[in-house]
Amino acid sequence: MKKPDVYLLHAYSARNSGDGLLVKLSLRAIRDAGFTQLITVVCLDPASFVGYLDDPCVRLISLWQFVVGTLTHASRRRGAVFFGVGGGYLRAGTWKEGCKTLVAHGLQIVCSSLWRPCARIYLPQSVGPFRMTPGRVLKWLVRRHVDTIFLRDDKSMGELRHRHAVRMGDLVVLEISKHPHASRRAPSDSSMSDARRKVHFVFRDLSDKSYSDAYIAKLRRLIELSPDASFALQSAGRGNSDDVFYQRVFGVKSAPALRDVMRSDDAVVVSVRLHGSLESVLCRVPSIHIAYERKGLAAYRDLGLSEYAFHAESFDPDVVAAAIEKLRSDTAPSGERWPRLRWIAIRNC
């Protein structure tokens, strides 16, 4: 019997290291489920994934190539299995955001629905809000055309009310859970005289939030309280570039990539981007998360690290600075005392 075509939908761009990591982990989950054939990855930025993915048996195509291919081949009734990348892209908080989501992601759901027979399985997501007409359309598409969806926070479960929704941790949380006691190497003798960990900030622009001005004022205060901290870059390009935000707001002209910081330093990462924090924890680097969406607080709660998660709207810079000081003064090798993880009942798909 011929194997079905396998697609991984909703890949964004590897220029955002968190989104790139989610694509890698999504591919790994598909392989672990027993799919050994070629996987076609539908990307908004295919070029960024060239040479990035560690799975050699993939084909990268753009959204428009997928649309054309669907119109060409779907009527042939070839079997297909569609997976959705884990993440938080199915949202419509404003009219503009909803319209962009319908074009970039709703169109992929519509195209997958034209294939017969097929199965559509979405890896751990945060979905919503579903506001105004675009949001209602998006919600209908997900409820109508996604067979099974794994959701990584309780609010998503309540908003979507999908008949086959399963509560599950973020893909990076699941990856961390595989090695909860792994540790990084101890600091070298040459670094023992400077035992305090270095602090790196990963901030992002929240100008679309009503509390944006207060948020920036709090970040400035946090910088004042950690004067020896530096910036790191988790996302660049495609209108979502942290370095542009750093230069415009803080006058920082350049910053190293977060992945390089995690490789070279015994560090503490303070990240507004969820996967800036989760990537750090995955590498056994202590990380404080300043969340601006439900997914961040849920992920840290799943890890048992709620004391290191704060909300971008209401966080107290002095309290965050105290948490930073607690972590950076801990001279034990990362992983021996960080993180102390507990796990919710997490099921593998």
Side-chain angles (χ1 to χ4, degrees):
M1 183 177 179
K2 184 178 179 180
K3 293 183 178 180
D5 293 335
V6 177
Y7 286 81
L8 179 60
L9 306 179
H10 308 294
Y12 177 57
S13 172
R15 292 185 174 90
N16 180 309
S17 63
D19 290 324
L21 177 60
L22 284 172
V23 173
K24 282 187 175 181
L25 295 179
S26 295
L27 286 169
R28 191 175 303 170
I30 296 170
R31 296 302 187 198
D32 289 345
F35 293 91
T36 58
Q37 62 265 55
L38 175 74
I39 299 174
T40 299
V41 183
V42 181
C43 318
L44 296 185
D45 184 10
S48 69
F49 288 100
V50 176
Y52 174 83
L53 298 176
D54 49 13
D55 188 325
C57 194
V58 298
R59 178 171 67 108
L60 303 172
I61 64 172
S62 69
L63 170 60
W64 304 114
Q65 286 175 308
F66 177 54
V67 172
V68 172
T70 294
L71 296 177
T72 303
H73 299 298
S75 61
R76 298 180 184 176
R77 296 188 178 276
R78 294 167 54 186
V81 180
F82 294 93
F83 291 91
V85 170
Y89 45 83
L90 297 175
R91 59 183 184 265
T94 64
W95 184 275
K96 180 179 179 181
E97 181 181 61
C99 290
K100 290 173 64 176
T101 301
L102 284 176
V103 172
H105 301 293
L107 186 56
Q108 296 183 55
I109 298 174
V110 170
C111 286
S112 69
S113 72
L114 299 177
W115 291 71
R116 295 289 189 277
C118 74
R120 293 168 293 267
I121 303 161
Y122 276 52
L123 300 173
Q125 307 278 316
S126 288
V127 301
F130 300 107
R131 296 175 183 151
M132 295 168 282
T133 300
R136 289 191 290 271
V137 173
L138 179 63
K139 182 176 181 178
W140 180 85
L141 286 173
V142 176
R143 286 169 58 91
R144 176 68 177 83
H145 294 299
V146 175
D147 300 310
T148 301
I149 184 167
F150 296 92
L151 297 173
R152 60 189 186 181
D153 65 86
D154 296 333
K155 192 171 183 179
S156 292
M157 293 285 290
E159 281 195 22
L160 185 60
R161 295 189 179 278
H162 192 285
R163 64 195 182 282
H164 296 304
V166 179
R167 175 68 168 90
M168 179 183 285
D170 181 274
L171 281 173
V172 186
V173 171
L174 297 179
E175 188 67 17
I176 294 168
S177 73
K178 296 177 182 178
H179 313 285
H181 303 298
S183 64
R184 292 162 61 89
R185 62 177 177 81
S188 63
D189 293 339
S190 62
S191 67
M192 290 304 289
S193 60
D194 184 20
R196 285 163 54 80
R197 304 180 193 275
K198 298 178 182 178
V199 179
H200 299 276
F201 291 136
V202 178
F203 296 155
R204 67 158 293 166
D205 189 359
L206 297 181
S207 58
D208 59 335
K209 303 294 185 182
S210 60
Y211 54 83
S212 176
D213 292 343
Y215 159 74
I216 289 176
K218 291 179 180 181
L219 292 185
R220 292 188 188 280
R221 174 59 178 160
L222 186 58
I223 292 170
E224 290 177 1
L225 294 169
S226 303
D228 57 343
S230 58
F231 286 77
L233 190 65
Q234 197 257 353
S235 179
R238 297 192 62 85
N240 195 22
S241 185
D242 293 340
D243 54 351
V244 174
F245 177 60
Y246 294 169
Q247 183 167 356
R248 175 172 60 83
V249 176
F250 306 107
V252 175
K253 295 183 178 180
S254 63
L258 177 61
R259 62 171 66 96
D260 294 332
V261 166
M262 291 187 297
R263 288 171 183 160
S264 61
D265 285 340
D266 191 33
V268 172
V269 172
V270 182
S271 179
V272 177
R273 291 187 176 275
L274 171 60
H275 286 95
S277 280
L278 292 185
E279 284 180 83
S280 301
V281 177
L282 184 61
C283 292
R284 293 303 182 258
V285 173
S287 182
I288 293 167
H289 179 42
I290 300 175
Y292 63 96
E293 290 181 325
R294 67 188 71 165
K295 59 186 180 182
L297 299 177
Y300 260 53
R301 184 168 58 251
D302 288 353
L303 287 167
L305 298 174
S306 292
E307 66 179 297
Y308 296 108
F310 305 86
H311 197 283
E313 182 177 11
S314 58
F315 78 93
D316 183 336
D318 291 274
V319 174
V320 175
I324 293 172
E325 192 63 26
K326 177 182 177 182
L327 291 176
R328 73 180 305 191
S329 298
D330 178 3
T331 58
S334 297
E336 287 186 9
R337 296 169 67 179
W338 169 273
R340 296 183 183 274
L341 303 175
R342 66 168 172 77
W343 306 103
I344 65 167
I346 296 174
R347 297 164 57 186
N348 288 319
C349 59

